[in-house]
């Protein structure tokens, strides 16, 4: 039940010396949770949902808040869909509701009561099994489409891959929906190949890298076959059914317990795999995927910034030190925790951006519903070529996480 925290204190060229800390006797969850999901809410607190009481154990069909407020709240839809709803997909929507994707279902919860506001249409599976699932152990992956100033367009959710109960045929499609559009339904797009246990990484130009996984099976030890070595680039700006482009192959099987995460130079770190299948090794090797912009040969723009702690709607000055500001734009990429197909914390914003000479202004997103408070990588893009990023905080720390937990066993960074 114990809660661990980690405060990175390193810098480029200087490794972090801090370590994970815990005080399980005094700081812990109200329920033991194996394979839950977590999300930062609009008020800065953390919501933890779902899980089991151990590996292949009894369901824990509930949610709780950190710092602790009140008892756990039971969720009948998680009880009903156990065990195919672990690591549910969670996203705060601009209207304030909480999107929850689990098994082959999705709904929007009220952010105060956590009652269901809207039950979305059933998530389609594949031609072999319309009831195929999308969350562990039928593991797919999910992200939010980019949000662009002035943030009036409906938000779109993207879910890719997954598998089926029984014959474990991996899904060969992605699905999208605008959950806050009351007339919307899921739209299916065919992927180049079947994929269960995929990972997806949002890129600073607004595209997404889909990688890792297998073509048959489910998530777990020794439960998947035929590694999918191929990478796919998904571009939401292209017409439907023309958004996926086949990229390069790896030679390393990335199966159960693999990850993909965006680096500050715009490349993607690919790591992990622990299938325990007698055929593919536990992986200690890491790879870096270079998106097309990294192979263009064009120079990266560069910039400097002083203010790294932004209020909502604040105009922040950056100084461009190289690059053509005439066609430049900015992107903000949410801090991500990548595990089991889940990119917790993923958000992509294209904020309002303007320049007068080499002095440019970025306008922070307007509120905590469009953009829950947290840390973001700021990239500048010169004709699609991203700079190296700088970490900025948006929205402060309204839940005082920097001074939590209330235990002397933890080193805390403060607000």
């Amino acid at each position: 039940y114990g809660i661990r925290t980690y405060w990175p204190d390193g810098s480029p060229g200087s490794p972090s010396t801090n370590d994970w800390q815990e005080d399980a006797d005094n700081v812990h969850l109200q329920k033991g949770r194996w394979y839950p999901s977590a999300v930062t809410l609009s008020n800065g607190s953390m919501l933890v949902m779902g899980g089991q009481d151990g590996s292949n154990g009894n369901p824990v069909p509930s949610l709780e808040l950190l710092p602790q407020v009140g008892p756990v709240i039971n969720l009948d839809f998680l009880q009903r869909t156990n065990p195919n709803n672990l690591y549910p997909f969670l996203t705060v929507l601009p209207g304030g509701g909480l999107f929850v994707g689990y098994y082959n279902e999705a709904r929007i919860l009220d952010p105060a009561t956590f009652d269901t506001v809207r039950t979305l249409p059933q998530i389609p599976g594949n031609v072999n099994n319309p009831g195929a699932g999308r969350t562990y152990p039928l593991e797919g992956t999910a992200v939010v489409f980019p949000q662009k100033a002035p943030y009036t367009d409906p938000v779109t959710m993207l879910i890719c891959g997954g598998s089926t109960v029984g014959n474990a045929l991996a899904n060969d499609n992605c699905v999208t929906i605008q959950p806050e559009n009351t007339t919307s339904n899921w739209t299916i797009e065919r992927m180049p190949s079947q994929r269960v246990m995929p990972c997806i990484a949002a890129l600073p130009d607004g595209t997404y890298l889909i990688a890792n996984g297998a073509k048959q099976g489910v998530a777990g030890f020794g439960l998947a076959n035929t590694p999918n070595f191929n990478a796919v680039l998904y571009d939401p700006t292209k017409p439907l059914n023309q958004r996926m482009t086949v990229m390069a192959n790896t030679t390393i099987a990335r199966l159960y317990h693999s990850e993909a995460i965006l680096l500050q130079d715009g490349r993607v770190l690919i790591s992990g795999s622990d299938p325990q299948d007698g055929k593919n090794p536990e992986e200690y090797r890491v790879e870096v995927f270079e998106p097309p912009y990294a192979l263009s040969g064009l120079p990266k723009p560069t910039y400097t910034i002083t203010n790294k702690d932004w209020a909502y709607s604040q105009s922040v000055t950056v100084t461009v030190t190289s690059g053509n500001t005439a066609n430049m734009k900015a992107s903000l990429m949410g801090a991500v925790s990548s595990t089991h197909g889940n990119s917790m914390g993923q958000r992509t914003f294209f904020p309002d951006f303007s320049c007068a000479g080499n002095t440019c202004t970025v306008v922070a997103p307007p509120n905590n519903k469009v953009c829950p408070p947290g840390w973001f990588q700021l990239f500048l893009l010169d004709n699609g070529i991203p700079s190296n990023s700088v970490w900025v905080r948006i929205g402060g720390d309204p839940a005082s996480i920097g001074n939590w937990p209330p235990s002397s066993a933890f080193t805390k960074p403060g607000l």
Side-chain angles (χ1 to χ4, degrees):
Y1 291 37
I3 296 169
R4 293 181 178 180
T5 68
Y6 174 68
W7 173 23
D9 64 332
S11 60
S14 178
S16 176
T17 58
N18 285 351
D19 201 351
W20 290 94
Q21 297 175 324
E22 68 176 335
D23 180 9
D25 291 335
N26 297 300
V27 181
H28 52 78
L29 294 169
Q30 298 180 63
K31 295 282 187 179
R33 298 180 185 274
W34 182 85
Y35 285 18
S37 290
V39 65
T40 300
L41 299 178
S42 295
N43 64 4
S45 63
M46 295 174 285
L47 180 146
V48 185
M49 178 184 291
Q52 296 178 334
D53 63 6
S55 178
N56 301 313
N58 296 315
V60 185
S62 62
L63 64 82
E64 58 184 282
L65 299 176
L66 297 173
Q68 184 175 328
V69 178
V72 301
I73 296 175
N74 292 317
L75 304 170
D76 60 348
F77 59 87
L78 290 185
Q79 177 71 55
R80 173 173 50 80
T81 55
N82 177 70
N84 296 319
N85 57 34
L86 303 181
Y87 282 117
F89 302 128
L90 305 176
T91 298
V92 174
L93 300 173
L98 178 67
F99 172 89
V100 185
Y102 56 97
Y103 186 25
N104 57 12
E105 300 179 11
R107 64 184 61 214
I108 300 174
L109 302 185
D110 182 278
T113 64
F114 301 107
D115 294 333
T116 296
V117 174
R118 180 188 174 209
T119 301
L120 301 178
Q122 181 172 318
I123 304 173
N126 58 50
V127 294
N128 299 301
N129 186 340
R134 304 286 180 169
T135 51
Y136 182 97
L138 312 173
E139 186 179 302
T141 188
V143 289
V144 192
F145 270 19
Q147 297 168 250
K148 301 178 182 179
Y151 311 107
T152 54
D153 293 335
V155 160
T156 298
M157 298 297 305
L158 170 69
I159 303 176
C160 294
S163 193
T164 54
V165 176
N167 57 13
L169 293 174
N171 293 340
D172 64 351
N173 59 63
C174 295
V175 294
T176 52
I177 195 171
Q178 294 176 343
E180 293 184 304
N181 179 349
T182 57
T183 63
S184 65
N185 206 335
W186 296 94
T187 299
I188 302 177
E189 298 176 87
R190 190 77 173 268
M191 289 197 295
S193 57
Q194 295 169 292
R195 201 180 295 258
V196 62
M197 298 182 291
C199 297
I200 190 165
L203 304 180
D205 64 352
T207 61
Y208 299 86
L209 176 70
I210 303 170
N212 303 355
K215 296 180 180 180
Q216 188 277 331
V218 297
F221 294 123
L223 300 179
N225 297 291
T226 316
N228 195 325
F229 295 105
N230 185 237
V232 172
L233 193 70
Y234 185 100
D235 186 348
T237 66
K238 292 184 176 181
L240 199 66
N241 297 313
Q242 299 177 36
R243 294 173 174 172
M244 294 184 233
T245 303
V246 173
M247 296 279 107
N249 287 344
T250 181
T251 59
I252 300 175
R254 300 287 183 184
L255 300 167
Y256 190 45
H257 290 158
S258 62
E259 302 84 28
I261 197 162
L262 177 67
L263 297 174
Q264 285 186 262
D265 63 4
R267 298 178 299 167
V268 177
L269 182 69
I270 305 288
S271 62
S273 189
D274 183 22
Q276 298 187 22
D277 59 4
K279 297 175 288 186
N280 299 287
E282 181 176 2
E283 278 298 341
Y284 295 94
R285 293 174 290 178
V286 297
E287 300 171 275
V288 173
F289 183 87
E290 296 182 316
Y293 53 66
L295 301 174
S296 68
L298 298 174
K300 288 173 168 282
T302 59
Y303 72 95
T304 60
I305 183 172
T306 302
N307 182 1
K308 302 175 186 178
D309 201 356
W310 302 2
Y312 290 115
S313 296
Q314 182 177 4
S315 295
V316 179
T317 298
V318 299
T319 300
V320 175
T321 51
S322 68
N324 182 359
T325 60
N327 297 302
M328 194 168 283
K329 62 180 181 179
S331 62
L332 291 159
M333 311 298 296
V336 167
S337 175
S338 171
T339 185
H340 293 81
N342 217 314
S343 295
M344 301 180 202
Q346 179 273 328
R347 300 299 276 243
T348 300
F349 294 99
F350 287 106
D352 186 53
F353 182 82
S354 59
C355 296
N358 288 336
T359 300
C360 300
T361 300
V362 185
V363 181
N367 58 59
N368 61 356
K369 296 181 178 62
V370 169
C371 174
W375 289 89
F376 297 83
Q377 295 187 62
L378 172 64
F379 290 90
L380 299 190
L381 296 108
D382 183 358
N383 283 315
I385 308 300
S387 65
N388 287 353
S389 73
V390 172
W391 284 100
V392 300
R393 184 170 72 167
I394 301 176
D397 184 8
S400 300
I401 300 298
N403 286 332
W404 180 86
S407 166
S408 60
F410 295 88
T411 301
K412 296 179 278 286
L415 303 181

